[in-house]
Amino acid sequence: MRIRAGLCVAVLVAAGLAVATPAAAAPVDAATVVPIQVTGDPAKRFNLVLLGDGYTEADLPAFRSHVDRHLNTLWTIEPFKSYRSYFNVYAIEIVSPESGVDCDPGLSAPRRDTVLDMGFWGGCNPASVQRLLTVDGVAANAYADLAVGTTPGNRQLIALANSGTYGGAGGSNATASGGNALSALISPHELGHSLGGLQDEYDYYGRGVPGDTYEGPEPDSAHHTVLTERQMRDTRAKWWRWLGEPSEAGGTIGRYEGGLYLQRGVWRPSRHSMMKSLGFYFDQVGREQMTERIAGRVGIVEGGTATDQPVGADRLLWVDTLHPVSHALTVTWSVDGRAVPRTGNARHLDLRTLRLKSGRHTVTATVTDPTEFVRDPAVRRSPSLTQTRTWTVDTGVRTPPVAQPLAITDSTATDRPVGARDVVYVRTSQPADRVPRVRWSIDGRPVADTGSDRDVRLGALRLSRGTHRLTARVSDPATRAVVTRTWAVDATGPDVASTLSEPLLTTTRPGRPTEYVYNGPFTMGLTGTDDGTGQVTAEFRLDGDGWHNYYGWPTDARSPFRFTATGTDVDGLVYGNLGSGGLSVSPFAERSPGYGRHTIDYRGIDAVGNIGAAHTFVATLIPPPPACTRVVSGRHTGPLAVTTGVTCLRTATVTGPVTVAAGAALVAEGSTIAGSLASSRAAAVELLHTEVRGAVALTGTTDHVTMVGARVTGALALTGTTSAPILAGGQVGALTCTGGPAPVDLGAPTTVRGATGGHCRASGS
């Protein structure tokens, strides 16, 4: 049985495949804990701990590079991108005696002496599957404990193997091969399981083996259902609030059959998403649940004025909140259940302005996350996204004066630039009798309105490209003390350049995307550049579908992505499919060839989250030439008769006329025919960047006529062709079409120097 790497632990156990589980303690050799990102006390954050196995001392630079790629990819995917500040990240650098891991890539490969005992084939188990990459959970957790403050309850382990072979596994001890093209996409998928409680949306269990039919009740999974769209709307169930909207994973939120490892009888919200096809985003349904689970692991109210005893009405109250990267949490205040007006989302409330009646009162600060990622009111009201802090205020209590020096006690990190659309915040000292004043400036110019004096929404400033200097100036109205904090703002999006395989034809027109014609598979390499440091993550989309991470090719990150009419089967999955079903599909899924015109957009996301401008090109794929049974190259003197099979002229020069008999085919590439060309009931005629120094008369062609970049000195006469001839990017002396469909030009019309007759005139050829 073949198991898809990335299955959750429960599935692996059900399949009889052992996955190591945590233990309380284990011997630990020397290792180095590297804090990659620390946004707060580990007890109040969700902690990602990345460990390396099979990395020798000399391999540690590779481990650091693998960690960077995993994290930079993770931070481009929502909701991780918006809630990056809720995570602490630690890398545990462990030196293994030997390089590599066990049974890589096969059972006959040697065992390696490594600290975490990682291995393919479920730890070299012949009954397992090759890509199931396991780890010694006892050892992994012992090393993770070196990251002080992290525990099995507040962290996620990701063990990276020093390998370029595809593999991984899910659960609390997630694994991935560090150097594989797709490995950085395993991590967010596994977090979908372990952190988000999401299920796999595959319609197969073993790769290449179609799933059967779901026959159970309504699934507990938030993103699987047996209900129709109407039933979802009528009962307000599952993803009814998102139905009909463009999916963040491409297409439209609706009802797509297949999921839970089954092909029929159960439906998912999107054609593809992170939980079905690595490389796409979470759709809105999965993203909403991920948002709730991430926020639920941290607590959006962090502290503030103590609540353990009554406070006086002669002071200020303070509340401390978390700060997402993309937006600000909202704070509202109430007294005895009645809202306090015009508090302006402030993290403080001056009780002295309320003129409270004598006695005791209840004051509540309600903190809510207004993220657009959540639509379910029950989720919005849940403790994950709405929390309160409550004080008893006694007008008989007097607050003693306490000297407190002015300080910035917390803020958005300053050790790296912030993005041009980030929300930047400061937290100040919190005296009971006054409010430290915060004023923001950008490049020395005051920021007029930040929404709240404790944060600034950079996106509203519409900063010009380049690096800017953001400053928070905090002053104490009583002591006139001043403290400042400064950030570099990276307002320049990254750029991505494409490298395409050699096309059959290129067409450029002012103000339009460049168009390419291919008559076979073509490749696209993407390379990102940025004025800042860190990785540029490139992504692309096909025909307006979902943005897809660019990882090179699944078997080699250094190789370009390959597009074909029906995709390429790589280890039981299909990649680069231009046909029906989407870019990445199961090999048993029905799909028609994707010949025709396709629009491909590509862009980059830099290390601080800026999204660069998208570039676009158009690729038209036409069927490939028939296979040659005879090849002519160099000089052929005199006439050439093609009587049977497929004759191919490759950089050939024919000094006489060419004739093609019934049922035969001619494919001329980069060649010259000094005389005329004639055919009667030929199967196919293709002239690709070929010159004919005479007339061309093609009658009754039964399969196809393709002329791309061809030059015909004399007249071209097309009579009774079965399918629409392709005349693109060429030049002919005159053109006549009689019978059969009109020609198509693939966006690159053929120039006709003389007259145009028949239905060619109507087609514009």
Side-chain angles (χ1 to χ4, degrees):
M1 178 172 56
R2 307 181 75 196
I3 306 298
R4 168 76 157 90
L7 299 181
C8 61
V9 168
V11 172
L12 297 174
V13 171
L17 301 173
V19 177
T21 54
V28 174
D29 296 324
T32 301
V33 179
V34 180
I36 303 293
Q37 169 181 294
V38 179
T39 63
D41 181 350
K44 297 181 179 180
R45 294 293 184 270
F46 189 68
N47 304 284
L48 292 181
V49 181
L50 294 94
L51 311 94
D53 194 40
Y55 296 88
T56 63
E57 185 77 43
D59 293 330
L60 286 181
F63 172 67
R64 294 164 190 149
S65 175
H66 294 164
V67 167
D68 285 346
R69 189 164 67 90
H70 274 253
L71 293 176
N72 277 286
T73 300
L74 184 71
W75 304 137
T76 66
I77 298 169
E78 294 289 11
F80 303 112
K81 186 173 188 283
S82 289
Y83 293 93
R84 176 176 179 171
S85 55
Y86 286 19
F87 291 81
N88 287 341
V89 183
Y90 306 90
I92 312 294
E93 296 184 349
I94 307 169
V95 177
S96 287
E98 288 189 304
S99 183
V101 295
D102 295 345
C103 297
D104 181 12
L107 290 168
S108 61
R111 307 271 182 123
R112 304 292 183 181
D113 183 6
T114 66
V115 176
L116 302 182
D117 198 28
M118 293 185 74
F120 288 88
W121 284 93
C124 301
N125 178 3
S128 182
V129 291
Q130 186 271 344
R131 60 184 158 271
L132 178 58
L133 179 62
T134 53
V135 65
D136 182 338
V138 173
N141 276 275
Y143 277 96
D145 286 341
L146 295 175
V148 177
T150 73
T151 68
N154 67 16
R155 72 188 178 208
Q156 170 71 49
L157 303 189
I158 303 176
L160 300 181
N162 186 16
S163 171
T165 303
Y166 178 82
S172 58
N173 301 324
T175 69
S177 47
N180 182 262
L182 289 166
S183 62
L185 297 169
I186 295 176
S187 303
H189 175 95
E190 298 310 336
L191 288 171
H193 288 311
S194 58
L195 178 57
L198 300 177
Q199 304 299 311
D200 283 320
E201 294 182 353
Y202 315 139
D203 55 1
Y204 58 89
Y205 192 66
R207 282 197 186 182
V209 181
D212 206 340
T213 302
Y214 181 80
E215 297 178 347
E218 176 65 14
D220 292 335
S221 167
H223 55 118
H224 291 90
T225 191
V226 298
L227 302 175
T228 65
E229 289 190 23
R230 179 170 182 175
Q231 287 171 329
M232 282 190 274
R233 287 191 174 97
D234 289 347
T235 61
R236 299 190 171 188
K238 292 299 170 83
W239 53 90
W240 69 276
R241 294 181 178 87
W242 301 102
L243 283 171
E245 296 198 2
S247 171
E248 291 296 320
T252 302
I253 297 288
R255 186 172 176 268
Y256 299 85
E257 193 166 20
L260 297 175
Y261 318 114
L262 300 166
Q263 274 199 305
R264 295 173 295 277
V266 66
W267 286 263
R268 61 188 188 277
S270 300
R271 186 178 301 280
H272 36 240
S273 77
M274 174 66 68
M275 303 312 293
K276 185 178 190 296
S277 301
L278 295 186
F280 290 101
Y281 290 154
F282 292 106
D283 63 23
Q284 288 92 316
V285 182
R287 188 181 64 182
E288 181 172 47
Q289 184 154 318
M290 289 297 295
T291 300
E292 177 189 17
R293 298 299 179 87
I294 290 172
R297 296 297 290 266
V298 292
I300 61 175
V301 174
E302 284 200 295
T305 304
T307 60
D308 55 348
Q309 57 186 355
V311 299
D314 57 348
R315 60 163 300 154
L316 280 79
L317 298 179
W318 296 85
V319 62
D320 299 332
T321 74
L322 288 185
H323 296 269
V325 173
S326 62
H327 60 282
L329 305 183
T330 60
V331 180
T332 57
W333 297 84
S334 65
V335 177
D336 298 330
R338 300 183 63 181
V340 178
R342 297 183 296 278
T343 55
N345 201 32
R347 266 62 176 172
H348 61 270
L349 178 67
D350 191 343
L351 297 174
R352 297 170 298 184
T353 65
L354 302 182
R355 300 179 182 179
L356 299 176
K357 294 181 180 180
S358 297
R360 289 197 168 198
H361 302 271
T362 299
V363 176
T364 301
T366 300
V367 180
T368 303
D369 187 339
T371 175
E372 63 181 12
F373 296 169
V374 171
R375 287 195 177 169
D376 187 341
V379 174
R380 184 85 65 189
R381 293 191 299 266
S382 73
S384 295
L385 274 73
T386 298
Q387 294 185 354
T388 60
R389 191 171 179 89
T390 300
W391 297 264
T392 297
V393 177
D394 189 336
T395 58
V397 173
R398 295 291 176 263
T399 305
V402 177
Q404 189 176 33
L406 181 68
I408 295 176
T409 59
D410 192 18
S411 73
T412 299
T414 60
D415 59 350
R416 66 180 184 92
V418 296
R421 301 192 64 81
D422 288 2
V423 175
V424 178
Y425 78 95
V426 293
R427 185 180 296 166
T428 70
S429 47
Q430 300 176 348
D433 60 343
R434 60 193 184 277
V435 180
R437 185 178 183 184
V438 182
R439 289 293 179 264
W440 297 87
S441 63
I442 190 80
D443 298 329
R445 299 185 303 274
V447 175
D449 182 12
T450 65
S452 168
D453 66 348
R454 291 309 192 264
D455 56 52
V456 58
R457 297 166 175 82
L458 295 177
L461 304 183
R462 299 183 179 179
L463 298 174
S464 60
R465 289 173 59 88
T467 300
H468 301 270
R469 183 181 177 88
L470 174 69
T471 301
R473 183 180 186 275
V474 182
S475 59
D476 188 325
T479 66
R480 297 187 179 181
V482 174
V483 292
T484 62
R485 186 155 294 182
T486 301
W487 298 261
V489 181
D490 179 356
T492 302
D495 193 30
V496 173
S498 64
T499 302
L500 304 179
S501 53
E502 186 69 25
L504 190 63
L505 183 69
T506 301
T507 303
T508 58
R509 285 175 286 184
R512 302 282 294 275
T514 302
E515 300 196 20
Y516 305 94
V517 175
Y518 293 93
N519 63 345
F522 65 94
T523 61
M524 175 188 71
L526 298 180
T527 305
T529 57
D530 189 45
D531 62 346
T533 59
Q535 171 182 302
V536 173
T537 300
E539 55 184 16
F540 66 97
R541 64 182 177 186
L542 175 66
D543 295 328
D545 203 7
W547 287 102
H548 191 272
N549 181 276
Y550 176 80
Y551 39 77
W553 191 240
T555 56
D556 184 359
R558 298 165 298 181
S559 296
F561 195 86
R562 187 171 189 262
F563 296 93
T564 61
T566 56
T568 303
D569 190 325
V570 179
D571 195 21
L573 289 179
V574 172
Y575 298 87
N577 172 44
L578 291 172
S580 58
L583 192 68
S584 178
V585 295
S586 303
F588 47 81
E590 292 185 7
R591 55 192 190 277
S592 56
Y595 295 118
R597 180 184 172 94
H598 300 279
T599 300
I600 298 174
D601 307 304
Y602 57 94
R603 67 183 186 185
I605 305 176
D606 66 19
V608 300
N610 292 320
I611 300 177
H615 303 284
T616 301
F617 67 89
V618 174
T620 298
L621 184 67
I622 61 177
C628 305
T629 58
R630 174 191 181 195
V631 176
V632 176
S633 58
R635 186 177 181 84
H636 177 89
T637 304
L640 174 66
V642 179
T643 57
T644 60
V646 179
T647 295
C648 294
L649 306 183
R650 291 181 177 166
T651 59
T653 299
V654 180
T655 62
V658 176
T659 58
V660 185
L666 173 72
V667 177
E669 301 176 68
S671 297
T672 300
I673 298 173
S676 61
L677 168 63
S679 71
S680 177
R681 296 176 55 239
V685 175
E686 295 197 15
L687 302 180
L688 311 176
H689 299 288
T690 290
E691 182 179 8
V692 180
R693 296 172 184 169
V696 175
L698 309 178
T699 302
T701 309
T702 58
D703 194 313
H704 67 276
V705 172
T706 298
M707 299 175 63
V708 177
R711 294 174 60 88
V712 177
T713 302
L716 170 62
L718 301 173
T719 304
T721 54
T722 300
S723 59
I726 295 176
L727 305 182
Q731 188 177 92
V732 299
L735 177 61
T736 303
C737 304
T738 305
V744 295
D745 61 18
L746 307 182
T750 289
T751 301
V752 182
R753 296 189 305 274
T756 301
H759 56 256
C760 289
R761 182 184 295 111
S763 70
S765 298

